[in-house]
Amino acid sequence: MIETLPPQLQLLVREYGHNTYQLAQTLLTLEDRAERTKRAHQVVQLMFRLNPGVREQQDYQHKLWNHLYAMTGNQLDVDAPYPLTGLDQFNQKPKPLAYPRKAPKLRPYGKNVEELIAKANEIEDATEREQAALSVGRVMKFLYRMHSKDVPKDVTILKHLKDLSGGKLVLDINQLENLGGLDTIASAAPAGGRGGAFVVQQPRAERGEREQRRGGGKNDRRDKRRGKKGGRDQQQPPQ
Protein backbone atom coordinates (compact mmCIF):
# COMPACT_ATOMS: atom_id res chain seq x y z
CA MET A 1 0.00 0.00 0.00
CA ILE A 2 2.86 2.37 0.76
CA GLU A 3 4.30 1.85 -2.71
CA THR A 4 1.19 3.45 -4.24
CA LEU A 5 1.80 6.74 -2.41
CA PRO A 6 3.91 9.61 -3.79
CA PRO A 7 7.63 9.37 -3.00
CA GLN A 8 7.61 12.22 -0.46
CA LEU A 9 4.60 10.77 1.33
CA GLN A 10 6.29 7.36 1.44
CA LEU A 11 9.16 8.94 3.37
CA LEU A 12 6.72 10.36 5.93
CA VAL A 13 5.03 6.98 6.43
CA ARG A 14 8.40 5.31 6.97
CA GLU A 15 9.43 8.08 9.39
CA TYR A 16 6.33 8.03 11.61
CA GLY A 17 5.06 4.52 10.97
CA HIS A 18 2.07 2.98 9.23
CA ASN A 19 -0.10 3.22 12.36
CA THR A 20 0.40 7.00 12.52
CA TYR A 21 -0.61 7.21 8.88
CA GLN A 22 -3.79 5.28 9.66
CA LEU A 23 -4.56 7.66 12.54
CA ALA A 24 -4.16 10.61 10.18
CA GLN A 25 -6.59 9.02 7.76
CA THR A 26 -9.05 8.42 10.61
CA LEU A 27 -9.19 12.17 11.27
CA LEU A 28 -10.92 12.64 7.92
CA THR A 29 -13.85 10.49 9.06
CA LEU A 30 -14.66 12.67 12.10
CA GLU A 31 -17.54 15.04 11.41
CA ASP A 32 -17.21 17.21 14.52
CA ARG A 33 -14.60 19.92 13.85
CA ALA A 34 -13.76 20.44 17.55
CA GLU A 35 -13.25 16.72 18.08
CA ARG A 36 -11.21 16.50 14.88
CA THR A 37 -8.98 19.35 16.05
CA LYS A 38 -8.49 17.71 19.46
CA ARG A 39 -7.49 14.40 17.89
CA ALA A 40 -5.14 16.20 15.49
CA HIS A 41 -3.25 17.72 18.44
CA GLN A 42 -2.89 14.25 19.95
CA VAL A 43 -1.55 12.83 16.69
CA VAL A 44 1.00 15.67 16.46
CA GLN A 45 2.19 14.88 20.00
CA LEU A 46 2.54 11.22 19.01
CA MET A 47 4.56 12.20 15.96
CA PHE A 48 6.89 14.23 18.16
CA ARG A 49 7.45 11.27 20.50
CA LEU A 50 8.23 9.03 17.56
CA ASN A 51 10.75 11.53 16.19
CA PRO A 52 12.14 13.58 19.11
CA GLY A 53 15.17 14.63 17.07
CA VAL A 54 12.96 17.08 15.19
CA ARG A 55 13.21 19.38 18.22
CA GLU A 56 16.65 20.49 17.04
CA GLN A 57 15.17 21.95 13.86
CA GLN A 58 13.74 25.42 13.59
CA ASP A 59 9.93 25.68 13.80
CA TYR A 60 9.64 21.96 14.39
CA GLN A 61 6.01 22.18 15.56
CA HIS A 62 5.00 23.86 12.33
CA LYS A 63 6.84 21.11 10.47
CA LEU A 64 4.94 18.38 12.33
CA TRP A 65 1.60 19.97 11.48
CA ASN A 66 2.56 20.16 7.83
CA HIS A 67 3.56 16.50 7.87
CA LEU A 68 0.19 15.57 9.37
CA TYR A 69 -1.57 17.69 6.75
CA ALA A 70 0.41 15.95 3.99
CA MET A 71 -0.46 12.46 5.32
CA THR A 72 -4.16 13.34 4.98
CA GLY A 73 -3.67 14.27 1.34
CA ASN A 74 -3.93 18.01 2.11
CA GLN A 75 -7.59 17.50 3.09
CA LEU A 76 -7.42 17.96 6.87
CA ASP A 77 -9.76 20.77 8.00
CA VAL A 78 -8.90 21.71 11.59
CA ASP A 79 -8.11 24.80 13.64
CA ALA A 80 -4.37 24.41 13.43
CA PRO A 81 -2.03 26.84 15.23
CA TYR A 82 -0.05 27.28 12.01
CA PRO A 83 -0.97 27.71 8.34
CA LEU A 84 -0.97 24.28 6.74
CA THR A 85 0.77 23.96 3.37
CA GLY A 86 1.74 20.29 3.35
CA LEU A 87 4.66 19.43 1.12
CA ASP A 88 3.87 22.07 -1.49
CA GLN A 89 6.81 24.16 -0.34
CA PHE A 90 9.19 21.45 -1.56
CA ASN A 91 7.70 21.58 -5.04
CA GLN A 92 8.20 25.32 -5.43
CA LYS A 93 11.26 26.60 -7.23
CA PRO A 94 13.50 28.86 -5.14
CA LYS A 95 13.49 32.53 -5.97
CA PRO A 96 16.56 33.72 -7.84
CA LEU A 97 19.12 35.60 -5.78
CA ALA A 98 19.90 39.18 -6.71
CA TYR A 99 23.62 39.20 -7.46
CA PRO A 100 25.42 42.53 -7.78
CA ARG A 101 25.72 43.42 -11.43
CA LYS A 102 28.28 46.16 -10.96
CA ALA A 103 31.66 45.18 -9.60
CA PRO A 104 33.66 47.63 -7.46
CA LYS A 105 36.02 49.87 -9.39
CA LEU A 106 39.00 48.85 -7.26
CA ARG A 107 38.77 45.36 -5.83
CA PRO A 108 40.88 45.83 -2.67
CA TYR A 109 38.36 48.32 -1.25
CA GLY A 110 34.96 46.89 -2.15
CA LYS A 111 31.56 48.55 -2.30
CA ASN A 112 31.51 49.70 1.33
CA VAL A 113 34.42 52.09 0.78
CA GLU A 114 32.68 53.48 -2.28
CA GLU A 115 29.61 54.17 -0.15
CA LEU A 116 31.76 55.93 2.45
CA ILE A 117 33.33 58.07 -0.24
CA ALA A 118 29.89 58.94 -1.61
CA LYS A 119 28.79 60.09 1.86
CA ALA A 120 31.98 62.12 2.26
CA ASN A 121 31.28 63.85 -1.05
CA GLU A 122 27.94 65.03 0.32
CA ILE A 123 29.55 66.91 3.24
CA GLU A 124 29.34 70.64 2.55
CA ASP A 125 31.80 71.89 5.15
CA ALA A 126 35.34 71.79 3.72
CA THR A 127 36.99 71.03 7.06
CA GLU A 128 34.69 68.14 7.85
CA ARG A 129 35.01 66.82 4.30
CA GLU A 130 38.82 66.85 4.60
CA GLN A 131 38.67 65.04 7.93
CA ALA A 132 36.32 62.47 6.44
CA ALA A 133 38.72 61.98 3.53
CA LEU A 134 41.56 61.31 5.99
CA SER A 135 39.49 58.71 7.82
CA VAL A 136 38.47 56.96 4.60
CA GLY A 137 42.10 57.05 3.44
CA ARG A 138 43.22 55.22 6.58
CA VAL A 139 40.56 52.56 5.98
CA MET A 140 41.63 52.22 2.35
CA LYS A 141 45.26 51.73 3.31
CA PHE A 142 44.33 49.04 5.83
CA LEU A 143 42.17 47.18 3.28
CA TYR A 144 44.84 47.45 0.61
CA ARG A 145 47.41 45.95 2.98
CA MET A 146 45.05 43.08 3.84
CA HIS A 147 44.36 42.42 0.16
CA SER A 148 47.88 42.42 -1.26
CA LYS A 149 50.01 41.82 1.88
CA ASP A 150 52.12 44.82 0.80
CA VAL A 151 52.43 48.22 2.45
CA PRO A 152 51.17 50.78 -0.07
CA LYS A 153 52.48 54.30 -0.26
CA ASP A 154 50.28 57.17 0.85
CA VAL A 155 50.53 58.75 -2.60
CA THR A 156 48.93 55.62 -4.08
CA ILE A 157 46.06 55.71 -1.61
CA LEU A 158 45.47 59.40 -2.27
CA LYS A 159 45.37 58.74 -6.01
CA HIS A 160 42.81 55.97 -5.55
CA LEU A 161 40.78 58.21 -3.24
CA LYS A 162 40.75 60.93 -5.86
CA ASP A 163 39.68 58.52 -8.61
CA LEU A 164 36.89 56.92 -6.57
CA SER A 165 35.51 60.31 -5.49
CA GLY A 166 35.51 61.72 -8.99
CA GLY A 167 38.14 64.31 -8.08
CA LYS A 168 36.19 65.72 -5.13
CA LEU A 169 38.35 64.34 -2.31
CA VAL A 170 41.88 65.61 -2.92
CA LEU A 171 44.52 65.69 -0.17
CA ASP A 172 47.95 67.29 -0.30
CA ILE A 173 50.66 64.65 0.04
CA ASN A 174 53.13 67.16 1.52
CA GLN A 175 50.79 68.21 4.31
CA LEU A 176 49.95 64.57 4.94
CA GLU A 177 53.63 63.67 5.34
CA ASN A 178 54.10 66.56 7.75
CA LEU A 179 51.35 65.10 9.91
CA GLY A 180 53.05 61.69 9.87
CA GLY A 181 51.13 59.91 7.12
CA LEU A 182 47.92 57.90 7.10
CA ASP A 183 49.27 55.38 9.61
CA THR A 184 49.78 57.93 12.40
CA ILE A 185 46.76 60.19 11.84
CA ALA A 186 44.10 59.05 14.28
CA SER A 187 41.52 61.57 15.32
CA ALA A 188 43.46 64.82 15.33
CA ALA A 189 41.48 67.63 13.76
CA PRO A 190 43.13 69.93 11.20
CA ALA A 191 44.38 73.37 12.12
CA GLY A 192 40.99 74.76 11.13
CA GLY A 193 39.34 73.46 14.30
CA ARG A 194 36.54 70.85 14.38
CA GLY A 195 36.83 67.13 13.88
CA GLY A 196 35.29 65.32 10.93
CA ALA A 197 31.95 63.59 10.82
CA PHE A 198 33.65 60.22 10.38
CA VAL A 199 35.94 60.66 13.39
CA VAL A 200 34.80 60.30 17.00
CA GLN A 201 36.81 62.61 19.22
CA GLN A 202 37.90 60.94 22.46
CA PRO A 203 38.42 63.14 25.57
CA ARG A 204 41.99 63.22 26.84
CA ALA A 205 42.35 62.52 30.53
CA GLU A 206 44.82 64.42 32.61
CA ARG A 207 47.95 62.63 33.78
CA GLY A 208 46.90 62.72 37.41
CA GLU A 209 43.48 61.24 36.59
CA ARG A 210 45.02 58.44 34.55
CA GLU A 211 47.46 57.58 37.32
CA GLN A 212 44.64 57.63 39.85
CA ARG A 213 42.62 55.16 37.75
CA ARG A 214 45.66 52.93 37.39
CA GLY A 215 46.08 52.78 41.16
CA GLY A 216 48.31 55.75 41.94
CA GLY A 217 51.51 57.20 40.53
CA LYS A 218 54.97 55.67 40.29
CA ASN A 219 55.89 56.69 43.82
CA ASP A 220 52.81 55.06 45.28
CA ARG A 221 53.45 51.83 43.40
CA ARG A 222 57.13 51.88 44.49
CA ASP A 223 56.09 52.29 48.12
CA LYS A 224 53.70 49.39 47.84
CA ARG A 225 56.40 47.15 46.40
CA ARG A 226 58.80 48.13 49.18
CA GLY A 227 56.17 47.34 51.76
CA LYS A 228 55.69 43.87 50.30
CA LYS A 229 59.44 43.16 50.13
CA GLY A 230 60.03 44.30 53.70
CA GLY A 231 57.48 41.90 55.07
CA ARG A 232 57.00 43.95 58.26
CA ASP A 233 56.29 47.53 59.24
CA GLN A 234 58.98 49.83 60.49
CA GLN A 235 59.40 49.87 64.27
CA GLN A 236 58.42 53.02 66.08
CA PRO A 237 60.97 54.61 68.44
CA PRO A 238 60.30 54.07 72.15
CA GLN A 239 58.34 56.78 73.85
Side-chain angles (χ1 to χ4, degrees), residues 12 24-25 32 35 45 49-50 62 68 74-75 87 93 100 143 164 187 190 198 208 212 218 228 230 235:
L12 292 179
Q25 295 295 321
D32 188 9
E35 182 67 19
Q45 293 179 4
R49 294 181 180 179
L50 294 174
H62 191 184
L68 176 62
N74 297 347
Q75 298 179 3
L87 302 179
K93 294 183 179 181
L143 294 176
L164 293 176
S187 60
F198 287 76
Q212 185 177 4
K218 295 182 179 179
K228 292 182 179 179
Q235 296 181 357

Side-chain angles (χ1 to χ4, degrees), residues 68-141:
L68 176 62
Y69 186 68
M71 284 191 291
T72 59
N74 297 347
Q75 298 179 3
L76 183 62
D77 184 15
V78 294
D79 298 330
Y82 305 97
L84 301 179
T85 58
L87 302 179
D88 295 340
Q89 55 182 341
F90 299 102
N91 300 327
Q92 298 177 358
K93 294 183 179 181
K95 297 180 180 180
L97 297 177
Y99 288 95
R101 299 181 179 180
K102 185 178 180 181
K105 297 180 180 179
L106 296 176
R107 184 166 298 184
Y109 309 123
K111 296 293 294 183
N112 292 334
V113 171
E114 294 183 2
E115 294 179 0
L116 287 177
I117 292 175
K119 292 182 179 180
N121 288 336
E122 298 175 357
I123 299 177
E124 298 179 357
D125 186 74
T127 303
E128 294 183 358
R129 185 168 60 251
E130 180 181 358
Q131 189 71 5
L134 290 173
S135 301
V136 176
R138 296 182 68 248
V139 175
M140 292 173 61
K141 189 170 184 178

